[in-house]
Amino acid sequence: MNRIARIAAGVAGAAALLAAPVPAFASAPAAAATVTTCGWSGLQAGLSTKVCADVTGNSVVLYGQIGLAGPPSPGTPWPPAPQELLTRLTANVAGGNSLGAVSGRAVFQVSTVRVDGITATVPCGSTVHASFSVESFYRGPAPVTADVPVVC
């Protein structure tokens, strides 16, 4: 076979491959997006706290966060001494059932601490009411709250 015949055969083969139908790939359904909603921050036990919810479809994951309330005052030793805290996370469906309550202990020093605790499946269109409180030996709780819509 001469050189031109080989090139012609290669071009014909490439054209046949390109003209062949491509199998359709089944597209995977789009995963539901996770929406994170947090309530207003509050001051508890000298710290900044808030309660948050991650909502994916009708699945809700609730957690509290503990962080620094602000920069340290001049002359304050750094890093601050660790604080042992008592935590409480509660949730319910507005006008409905309790989703649970979790109490525990957390140690806070400088880095933000996430306090996990409640995961639930709730009806679409409902609102979840969550509350998170922190207390220390000298300071009582001052709960922060969030009302989270579950839109599916």
Short mmCIF file of all heavy atoms in Angstrom, two decimals, residues 74-120:
data_model
loop_
_atom_site.label_atom_id
_atom_site.label_comp_id
_atom_site.label_asym_id
_atom_site.label_seq_id
_atom_site.Cartn_x
_atom_site.Cartn_y
_atom_site.Cartn_z
N PRO A 74 -5.86 44.94 77.29
CA PRO A 74 -4.41 45.13 77.51
C PRO A 74 -4.00 44.59 78.88
O PRO A 74 -4.71 44.74 79.87
CB PRO A 74 -4.25 46.66 77.47
CG PRO A 74 -5.43 47.15 76.69
CD PRO A 74 -6.55 46.18 76.98
N GLY A 75 -2.89 43.90 78.90
CA GLY A 75 -2.36 43.34 80.14
C GLY A 75 -2.91 41.96 80.47
O GLY A 75 -2.49 41.35 81.45
N THR A 76 -3.83 41.47 79.65
CA THR A 76 -4.38 40.13 79.89
C THR A 76 -3.35 39.09 79.45
O THR A 76 -2.78 39.21 78.37
CB THR A 76 -5.68 39.93 79.08
OG1 THR A 76 -6.61 40.93 79.45
CG2 THR A 76 -6.27 38.56 79.31
N PRO A 77 -3.09 38.08 80.28
CA PRO A 77 -2.12 37.05 79.88
C PRO A 77 -2.60 36.32 78.62
O PRO A 77 -3.80 36.08 78.46
CB PRO A 77 -2.05 36.12 81.08
CG PRO A 77 -3.17 36.48 81.98
CD PRO A 77 -3.68 37.83 81.57
N TRP A 78 -1.65 35.99 77.77
CA TRP A 78 -2.01 35.29 76.53
C TRP A 78 -1.14 34.08 76.38
O TRP A 78 0.06 34.17 76.58
CB TRP A 78 -1.84 36.22 75.32
CG TRP A 78 -2.47 35.63 74.11
CD1 TRP A 78 -1.83 35.00 73.10
CD2 TRP A 78 -3.85 35.58 73.79
NE1 TRP A 78 -2.72 34.57 72.17
CE2 TRP A 78 -3.98 34.92 72.57
CE3 TRP A 78 -5.00 36.02 74.43
CZ2 TRP A 78 -5.20 34.69 71.96
CZ3 TRP A 78 -6.21 35.80 73.82
CH2 TRP A 78 -6.30 35.15 72.59
N PRO A 79 -1.61 32.95 76.05
CA PRO A 79 -3.01 32.63 75.82
C PRO A 79 -3.76 32.53 77.14
O PRO A 79 -3.16 32.26 78.19
CB PRO A 79 -2.97 31.30 75.11
CG PRO A 79 -1.72 30.66 75.56
CD PRO A 79 -0.75 31.79 75.82
N PRO A 80 -5.08 32.72 77.09
CA PRO A 80 -5.86 32.62 78.32
C PRO A 80 -5.88 31.18 78.83
O PRO A 80 -5.64 30.24 78.08
CB PRO A 80 -7.26 33.07 77.89
CG PRO A 80 -7.30 32.87 76.42
CD PRO A 80 -5.90 33.02 75.92
N ALA A 81 -6.19 31.05 80.09
CA ALA A 81 -6.28 29.71 80.69
C ALA A 81 -7.49 28.98 80.10
O ALA A 81 -8.50 29.59 79.77
CB ALA A 81 -6.44 29.82 82.20
N PRO A 82 -7.40 27.67 79.93
CA PRO A 82 -8.54 26.91 79.41
C PRO A 82 -9.73 27.03 80.36
O PRO A 82 -9.57 27.08 81.58
CB PRO A 82 -8.05 25.46 79.36
CG PRO A 82 -6.57 25.54 79.46
CD PRO A 82 -6.24 26.82 80.17
N GLN A 83 -10.92 27.10 79.78
CA GLN A 83 -12.15 27.16 80.57
C GLN A 83 -12.96 25.89 80.34
O GLN A 83 -13.19 25.51 79.20
CB GLN A 83 -13.02 28.34 80.13
CG GLN A 83 -12.41 29.69 80.34
CD GLN A 83 -13.38 30.77 79.89
OE1 GLN A 83 -14.55 30.75 80.24
NE2 GLN A 83 -12.88 31.71 79.10
N GLU A 84 -13.37 25.25 81.42
CA GLU A 84 -14.26 24.10 81.28
C GLU A 84 -15.69 24.63 81.33
O GLU A 84 -16.08 25.35 82.24
CB GLU A 84 -14.04 23.08 82.38
CG GLU A 84 -14.89 21.85 82.14
CD GLU A 84 -14.55 20.69 83.07
OE1 GLU A 84 -13.48 20.71 83.69
OE2 GLU A 84 -15.39 19.78 83.15
N LEU A 85 -16.46 24.29 80.32
CA LEU A 85 -17.81 24.81 80.16
C LEU A 85 -18.84 23.68 80.14
O LEU A 85 -18.55 22.58 79.67
CB LEU A 85 -17.91 25.58 78.85
CG LEU A 85 -16.89 26.70 78.66
CD1 LEU A 85 -16.90 27.18 77.21
CD2 LEU A 85 -17.18 27.84 79.61
N LEU A 86 -20.01 23.97 80.65
CA LEU A 86 -21.15 23.06 80.53
C LEU A 86 -22.00 23.57 79.37
O LEU A 86 -22.30 24.77 79.31
CB LEU A 86 -21.96 23.05 81.82
CG LEU A 86 -21.20 22.62 83.07
CD1 LEU A 86 -22.08 22.79 84.30
CD2 LEU A 86 -20.73 21.19 82.94
N THR A 87 -22.35 22.69 78.46
CA THR A 87 -23.11 23.09 77.28
C THR A 87 -24.45 22.36 77.24
O THR A 87 -24.59 21.26 77.79
CB THR A 87 -22.34 22.77 75.99
OG1 THR A 87 -22.14 21.36 75.89
CG2 THR A 87 -20.99 23.47 75.98
N ARG A 88 -25.43 22.99 76.58
CA ARG A 88 -26.74 22.37 76.40
C ARG A 88 -27.29 22.82 75.06
O ARG A 88 -27.39 24.01 74.78
CB ARG A 88 -27.69 22.74 77.52
CG ARG A 88 -29.05 22.08 77.37
CD ARG A 88 -29.81 22.09 78.69
NE ARG A 88 -31.15 21.55 78.55
CZ ARG A 88 -31.46 20.26 78.56
NH1 ARG A 88 -30.51 19.36 78.68
NH2 ARG A 88 -32.71 19.87 78.44
N LEU A 89 -27.64 21.84 74.23
CA LEU A 89 -28.22 22.08 72.91
C LEU A 89 -29.58 21.40 72.87
O LEU A 89 -29.69 20.22 73.21
CB LEU A 89 -27.30 21.49 71.83
CG LEU A 89 -27.74 21.59 70.39
CD1 LEU A 89 -27.81 23.04 69.93
CD2 LEU A 89 -26.76 20.81 69.50
N THR A 90 -30.63 22.16 72.53
CA THR A 90 -31.97 21.59 72.44
C THR A 90 -32.60 22.02 71.12
O THR A 90 -32.23 23.06 70.55
CB THR A 90 -32.88 22.06 73.59
OG1 THR A 90 -33.03 23.48 73.53
CG2 THR A 90 -32.32 21.66 74.93
N ALA A 91 -33.56 21.24 70.64
CA ALA A 91 -34.26 21.60 69.41
C ALA A 91 -35.63 20.96 69.38
O ALA A 91 -35.86 19.91 69.98
CB ALA A 91 -33.46 21.14 68.20
N ASN A 92 -36.54 21.64 68.69
CA ASN A 92 -37.86 21.07 68.45
C ASN A 92 -38.41 21.62 67.14
O ASN A 92 -37.90 22.61 66.61
CB ASN A 92 -38.82 21.36 69.61
CG ASN A 92 -39.04 22.83 69.84
OD1 ASN A 92 -38.68 23.68 69.04
ND2 ASN A 92 -39.64 23.16 70.97
N VAL A 93 -39.42 20.93 66.62
CA VAL A 93 -40.12 21.42 65.45
C VAL A 93 -41.14 22.41 65.98
O VAL A 93 -41.89 22.10 66.91
CB VAL A 93 -40.80 20.27 64.67
CG1 VAL A 93 -41.62 20.81 63.52
CG2 VAL A 93 -39.76 19.28 64.18
N ALA A 94 -41.17 23.62 65.41
CA ALA A 94 -42.08 24.65 65.90
C ALA A 94 -43.51 24.11 65.90
O ALA A 94 -44.00 23.62 64.89
CB ALA A 94 -41.98 25.89 65.04
N GLY A 95 -44.14 24.16 67.06
CA GLY A 95 -45.51 23.67 67.20
C GLY A 95 -45.61 22.17 67.19
O GLY A 95 -46.69 21.61 67.00
N GLY A 96 -44.47 21.48 67.37
CA GLY A 96 -44.50 20.03 67.29
C GLY A 96 -43.59 19.35 68.27
O GLY A 96 -43.38 19.82 69.39
N ASN A 97 -43.01 18.26 67.82
CA ASN A 97 -42.22 17.38 68.69
C ASN A 97 -40.83 17.90 68.97
O ASN A 97 -40.24 18.64 68.18
CB ASN A 97 -42.09 16.00 68.02
CG ASN A 97 -43.42 15.32 67.86
OD1 ASN A 97 -44.35 15.58 68.62
ND2 ASN A 97 -43.52 14.46 66.87
N SER A 98 -40.28 17.43 70.07
CA SER A 98 -38.90 17.70 70.42
C SER A 98 -37.99 16.87 69.52
O SER A 98 -38.28 15.72 69.21
CB SER A 98 -38.65 17.33 71.88
OG SER A 98 -37.28 17.39 72.17
N LEU A 99 -36.88 17.47 69.11
CA LEU A 99 -35.87 16.74 68.34
C LEU A 99 -34.76 16.23 69.24
O LEU A 99 -33.88 15.52 68.79
CB LEU A 99 -35.30 17.64 67.23
CG LEU A 99 -36.31 18.14 66.21
CD1 LEU A 99 -35.63 19.07 65.23
CD2 LEU A 99 -36.96 16.97 65.49
N GLY A 100 -34.80 16.63 70.51
CA GLY A 100 -33.82 16.13 71.46
C GLY A 100 -33.13 17.24 72.21
O GLY A 100 -33.28 18.42 71.92
N ALA A 101 -32.36 16.83 73.19
CA ALA A 101 -31.55 17.72 74.00
C ALA A 101 -30.25 17.01 74.32
O ALA A 101 -30.25 15.81 74.61
CB ALA A 101 -32.28 18.10 75.28
N VAL A 102 -29.16 17.73 74.26
CA VAL A 102 -27.84 17.16 74.53
C VAL A 102 -27.10 18.07 75.49
O VAL A 102 -26.98 19.27 75.23
CB VAL A 102 -27.03 16.99 73.22
CG1 VAL A 102 -25.65 16.44 73.52
CG2 VAL A 102 -27.76 16.12 72.23
N SER A 103 -26.62 17.53 76.58
CA SER A 103 -25.80 18.28 77.52
C SER A 103 -24.41 17.67 77.53
O SER A 103 -24.25 16.47 77.32
CB SER A 103 -26.40 18.20 78.93
OG SER A 103 -27.66 18.81 78.97
N GLY A 104 -23.42 18.51 77.76
CA GLY A 104 -22.06 17.99 77.77
C GLY A 104 -21.09 18.99 78.34
O GLY A 104 -21.47 20.00 78.92
N ARG A 105 -19.83 18.68 78.18
CA ARG A 105 -18.74 19.55 78.62
C ARG A 105 -17.85 19.87 77.44
O ARG A 105 -17.68 19.04 76.55
CB ARG A 105 -17.91 18.86 79.70
CG ARG A 105 -18.67 18.60 80.97
CD ARG A 105 -17.78 17.86 81.98
NE ARG A 105 -18.53 17.59 83.19
CZ ARG A 105 -18.48 18.36 84.28
NH1 ARG A 105 -17.72 19.42 84.30
NH2 ARG A 105 -19.19 18.05 85.34
N ALA A 106 -17.31 21.07 77.44
CA ALA A 106 -16.37 21.48 76.41
C ALA A 106 -15.27 22.29 77.08
O ALA A 106 -15.53 22.99 78.08
CB ALA A 106 -17.07 22.32 75.34
N VAL A 107 -14.08 22.20 76.56
CA VAL A 107 -12.97 23.00 77.06
C VAL A 107 -12.64 24.03 75.99
O VAL A 107 -12.41 23.68 74.83
CB VAL A 107 -11.74 22.12 77.38
CG1 VAL A 107 -10.57 23.00 77.81
CG2 VAL A 107 -12.08 21.11 78.46
N PHE A 108 -12.65 25.29 76.38
CA PHE A 108 -12.35 26.37 75.45
C PHE A 108 -11.11 27.10 75.91
O PHE A 108 -10.97 27.42 77.10
CB PHE A 108 -13.53 27.36 75.37
CG PHE A 108 -13.23 28.50 74.45
CD1 PHE A 108 -13.39 28.37 73.09
CD2 PHE A 108 -12.75 29.70 74.95
CE1 PHE A 108 -13.09 29.41 72.23
CE2 PHE A 108 -12.44 30.75 74.10
CZ PHE A 108 -12.61 30.61 72.74
N GLN A 109 -10.21 27.39 74.94
CA GLN A 109 -9.05 28.21 75.26
C GLN A 109 -8.97 29.38 74.29
O GLN A 109 -9.19 30.51 74.68
CB GLN A 109 -7.76 27.41 75.24
CG GLN A 109 -6.58 28.24 75.73
CD GLN A 109 -5.36 27.41 76.03
OE1 GLN A 109 -5.29 26.24 75.70
NE2 GLN A 109 -4.38 28.02 76.66
N VAL A 110 -8.70 29.13 73.01
CA VAL A 110 -8.58 30.22 72.04
C VAL A 110 -9.35 29.90 70.76
O VAL A 110 -10.08 30.73 70.25
CB VAL A 110 -7.10 30.50 71.69
CG1 VAL A 110 -6.99 31.55 70.62
CG2 VAL A 110 -6.34 30.93 72.93
N SER A 111 -9.21 28.69 70.25
CA SER A 111 -9.82 28.32 68.98
C SER A 111 -11.32 28.08 69.14
O SER A 111 -11.77 27.62 70.19
CB SER A 111 -9.19 27.03 68.44
OG SER A 111 -7.81 27.23 68.24
N THR A 112 -12.07 28.38 68.08
CA THR A 112 -13.51 28.16 68.10
C THR A 112 -13.80 26.68 68.31
O THR A 112 -13.16 25.82 67.73
CB THR A 112 -14.13 28.63 66.77
OG1 THR A 112 -13.88 30.04 66.64
CG2 THR A 112 -15.63 28.39 66.74
N VAL A 113 -14.77 26.40 69.17
CA VAL A 113 -15.17 25.02 69.49
C VAL A 113 -16.56 24.79 68.91
O VAL A 113 -17.46 25.61 69.11
CB VAL A 113 -15.18 24.78 71.01
CG1 VAL A 113 -15.73 23.41 71.35
CG2 VAL A 113 -13.79 24.97 71.59
N ARG A 114 -16.72 23.68 68.20
CA ARG A 114 -18.02 23.29 67.68
C ARG A 114 -18.57 22.19 68.58
O ARG A 114 -17.90 21.19 68.85
CB ARG A 114 -17.90 22.79 66.24
CG ARG A 114 -19.21 22.32 65.67
CD ARG A 114 -19.07 21.95 64.21
NE ARG A 114 -20.18 21.11 63.78
CZ ARG A 114 -20.66 21.09 62.57
NH1 ARG A 114 -20.13 21.84 61.63
NH2 ARG A 114 -21.65 20.29 62.27
N VAL A 115 -19.82 22.37 69.04
CA VAL A 115 -20.47 21.40 69.91
C VAL A 115 -21.59 20.75 69.12
O VAL A 115 -22.64 21.35 68.89
CB VAL A 115 -21.02 22.08 71.18
CG1 VAL A 115 -21.72 21.06 72.06
CG2 VAL A 115 -19.90 22.78 71.95
N ASP A 116 -21.34 19.52 68.64
CA ASP A 116 -22.33 18.78 67.86
C ASP A 116 -23.30 18.08 68.79
O ASP A 116 -23.03 17.90 69.97
CB ASP A 116 -21.64 17.73 66.98
CG ASP A 116 -20.85 18.37 65.85
OD1 ASP A 116 -21.40 19.25 65.18
OD2 ASP A 116 -19.69 17.99 65.66
N GLY A 117 -24.44 17.66 68.22
CA GLY A 117 -25.33 16.95 69.11
C GLY A 117 -26.62 16.44 68.53
O GLY A 117 -27.05 15.36 68.87
N ILE A 118 -27.30 17.19 67.66
CA ILE A 118 -28.62 16.76 67.23
C ILE A 118 -28.67 16.67 65.71
O ILE A 118 -28.34 17.63 65.01
CB ILE A 118 -29.71 17.73 67.74
CG1 ILE A 118 -29.70 17.76 69.28
CG2 ILE A 118 -31.08 17.33 67.21
CD1 ILE A 118 -30.62 18.79 69.88
N THR A 119 -29.10 15.51 65.22
CA THR A 119 -29.35 15.30 63.80
C THR A 119 -30.75 14.72 63.69
O THR A 119 -31.09 13.79 64.42
CB THR A 119 -28.31 14.32 63.19
OG1 THR A 119 -27.01 14.87 63.37
CG2 THR A 119 -28.58 14.09 61.72
N ALA A 120 -31.55 15.27 62.79
CA ALA A 120 -32.93 14.81 62.68
C ALA A 120 -33.44 14.97 61.25
O ALA A 120 -32.91 15.75 60.47
CB ALA A 120 -33.83 15.61 63.62
#
